[in-house]
Amino acid sequence: MPSLQELLVASSRTFAVGIRILPRPLRREVTVAYLLLRVSDYLEDNQELGRNEKVALLGKWQNILAGNGERQPLIARLREAREDTPDALVARHSANVLEGLDGLAPPAKEILVRRVGESSAGMARWTERGSRFETEADLDDYMHEVAGRVGHLLTELFTLRLPGTRSARERMMLLGQEFGLALQTVNVIRGLHEDRDRGWVYVPSAFVADPGIHPSELFDPANQDAAMAVLARLVTKADRHLAAARAYIRLMPRRYHRVRLFCLLPLFFAVRTLAISRANPDVLRRETKMTRREVRAITRRAMVLGFSNGWIERYCRQLASVPPRQNGGSPRPAAHRAPPAPQRISNP
């Protein structure tokens, strides 16, 4: 039976890097939160279940989290997950994850139960409604359920464990939601093609200038100009949310360097992914993502220099710059330029 750490690494190496940096007890609390949400994601996204069954199981999952009803029938049902995806892997081991939840301190457990339950209920609502995004407000509503609430969850854990953040709690809650929307908007962009293949197109109809083109038709080569205009609107939206994400990190006292790093890594990864995707027609044909070399380089720089708010702003601008493509290949990122000579600081 895999440990929670093994499940975390198997389901997301990138998030595992950031979570491993966190101090205790946040490290375990965020690990459990992440894995619980992967189960919710499986119930929403999988290709094995029909819409009505997804809605019913998401409701049962919410009840189980709250301590209502028998766990075993749902655990047994989740063990039957057959897809070869990270979400399905975690779902098959939901019993381990629930045991991890049981072992948390009551204040942290209450936050996870409430926030993961709210997110699961929101996923059920959108599963029932289906992939119909008429306006940007529709898209924001969906993204709030799957990502904005995660920003609230993490902020509540931070203010529970880090006394220096409590005076800024109200502002951080607002910016934490924006942080979640930033990461989810970048996910929408880089996953446009894959999501279309499973029947979801996270593009508001209002973003398409030509009313004769349905969002699902943006992938037709004949509609590439319209698709590029939509991509530009999504990129602008992501940039706006990312500015709020940077403001969120500035509110995190520098003495909590490990927690700042946890927040910085997804910010930097999102900025870099957005730069690769900007005005890039490849996003309509395949997932756009960073190289492993970029991930390692960004992580090293953040660990050494992430205490500096000024450096964060400069580095985001650097990551956002994309040199011209060479020989039709992937752009070579400016992120590999050497940073100024660092002064190491000790972790709290």
Side-chain angles (χ1 to χ4, degrees):
M1 184 176 293
S3 67
L4 296 182
Q5 179 62 30
E6 289 169 338
L7 282 175
L8 175 65
V9 172
S11 56
S12 177
R13 293 179 184 273
T14 302
F15 275 104
V17 170
I19 293 174
R20 188 169 60 244
I21 295 169
L22 287 170
R24 292 187 176 91
L26 274 172
R27 187 185 311 163
R28 186 170 183 82
E29 292 163 357
V30 175
T31 295
V32 173
Y34 177 82
L35 295 174
L36 289 171
L37 287 163
R38 291 309 294 248
V39 176
S40 300
D41 288 342
Y42 166 76
L43 292 172
E44 181 202 16
D45 290 340
N46 76 83
Q47 302 297 299
E48 301 173 327
L49 307 175
R51 178 184 299 182
N52 291 339
E53 189 172 8
K54 288 181 180 182
V55 172
L57 290 176
L58 280 164
K60 290 180 180 179
W61 178 239
Q62 186 181 10
N63 287 333
I64 293 302
L65 292 174
N68 302 321
E70 289 292 327
R71 289 183 177 183
Q72 288 308 314
L74 181 57
I75 289 173
R77 180 68 183 81
L78 291 172
R79 285 200 190 105
E80 298 174 1
R82 295 183 300 275
E83 289 187 347
D84 184 20
T85 65
D87 292 348
L89 170 66
V90 178
R92 286 192 290 271
H93 296 283
S94 60
N96 306 42
V97 183
L98 288 170
E99 287 178 9
L101 176 66
D102 292 339
L104 298 182
K109 180 179 179 180
E110 187 279 330
I111 293 170
L112 268 60
V113 166
R114 175 164 42 84
R115 292 299 185 184
V116 176
E118 290 171 350
S119 184
S120 300
M123 291 179 188
R125 177 168 62 86
W126 271 98
T127 298
E128 194 166 28
R129 170 173 170 163
S131 175
R132 300 191 307 275
F133 302 98
E134 299 297 332
T135 66
E136 184 174 358
D138 288 340
L139 180 60
D140 283 347
D141 179 77
Y142 172 79
M143 294 198 302
H144 169 66
E145 299 295 359
V146 301
R149 292 191 187 279
V150 180
H152 287 162
L153 185 160
L154 291 172
T155 301
E156 287 197 57
L157 286 178
F158 294 160
T159 55
L160 172 68
R161 299 301 183 191
L162 310 174
T165 63
R166 292 170 189 165
S167 62
R169 184 182 189 279
E170 184 175 352
R171 179 67 173 153
M172 289 183 71
M173 289 292 284
L174 292 173
L175 292 174
Q177 179 191 24
E178 288 283 311
F179 204 150
L181 295 186
L183 301 184
Q184 190 63 25
T185 305
V186 175
N187 280 341
V188 164
I189 292 169
R190 73 185 185 92
L192 279 169
H193 185 270
E194 182 180 359
D195 290 330
R196 189 281 303 265
D197 289 345
R198 67 183 185 89
W200 282 71
V201 180
Y202 297 93
V203 174
S205 297
F207 277 22
V208 185
D210 185 342
I213 299 176
H214 187 271
S216 63
E217 298 172 325
L218 293 170
F219 302 87
D220 186 331
N223 295 326
Q224 181 164 309
D225 288 346
M228 289 298 95
V230 168
L231 176 60
R233 288 197 65 171
L234 287 170
V235 167
T236 298
K237 176 177 176 60
D239 276 331
R240 184 173 70 250
H241 294 310
L242 285 167
R246 295 195 299 274
Y248 181 92
I249 292 172
R250 288 196 297 271
L251 290 175
M252 180 70 64
R254 285 184 288 184
R255 65 180 179 273
Y256 301 128
H257 184 48
R258 295 186 190 182
V259 182
R260 280 170 63 98
L261 281 174
F262 168 78
C263 297
L264 277 174
L265 291 178
L267 168 67
F268 288 156
F269 297 156
V271 170
R272 186 61 202 154
T273 300
L274 191 64
I276 297 169
S277 305
R278 193 184 304 267
N280 182 357
D282 284 350
V283 301
L284 302 174
R285 296 184 286 270
R286 64 182 66 90
E287 182 185 16
T288 54
K289 58 183 179 180
M290 299 176 296
T291 66
R292 291 184 179 181
R293 181 185 176 195
E294 286 181 286
V295 170
R296 290 193 296 268
I298 290 170
T299 301
R300 286 195 301 269
R301 286 161 172 77
M303 292 182 73
V304 175
L305 295 169
F307 64 89
S308 168
N309 289 334
W311 176 81
I312 291 170
E313 294 295 323
R314 293 191 298 274
Y315 194 47
C316 281
R317 290 194 295 270
Q318 180 179 332
L319 290 173
S321 64
V322 182
R325 289 171 175 261
Q326 299 180 0
N327 301 323
S330 299
R332 295 176 65 84
H336 293 316
R337 292 196 295 266
Q343 292 184 343
R344 291 193 174 272
I345 62 173
S346 58
N347 287 334

